[in-house]
Amino acid sequence: MTASTSITTWALLRDQAASRHGSEGSGMNAKHVKSDPTLIDLDDAPEWTEDQLARAELAVDGKVIREANGTLTRPRGRPRVASPKQQVSVRLDADLLTALKATGPRWQAKMNAELRKAMGLKH
């Protein structure tokens, strides 16, 4: 196989892969070809739960009446807590940091508990 044959073969394979994946062109310049919406079988879609309906966007004639709240599977982000932790930057002695990390997973939570205990604060 010559170099020009190899380049031609790779170009052919690239173009075939692009056509199989619904793209026109190649690489970052590829334009995605939308699928035909008439090919979607709505009978295959699972029924929506009451919770999903309550969180879904509500629109009438294209005008949004109620914004969506979260995703269809679960609300976005972490659950809210009454008193969230604050992120800080602090300088520690190297040997202290090594000792803290040596306590294993959740060493930061353990450090928080020890600081609360040292300050006489309840958990």
Side-chain angles (χ1 to χ4, degrees), residues 19-51:
S19 67
R20 274 196 307 271
H21 295 293
S23 298
E24 293 177 354
S26 64
M28 292 180 66
N29 296 326
K31 294 179 183 169
H32 183 71
V33 178
K34 290 192 173 196
S35 61
D36 183 357
T38 61
L39 298 178
I40 297 171
D41 185 1
L42 297 178
D43 291 335
D44 290 339
E47 299 245 352
W48 283 39
T49 65
E50 289 297 321
D51 185 49

Side-chain angles (χ1 to χ4, degrees), residues 74-95:
R74 64 180 179 267
R76 286 188 218 171
R78 296 181 66 118
R80 298 213 183 259
V81 293
S83 121
K85 302 222 171 161
Q86 301 285 318
Q87 181 176 350
V88 297
S89 177
V90 62
R91 293 180 161 297
L92 301 173
D93 293 330
D95 59 341

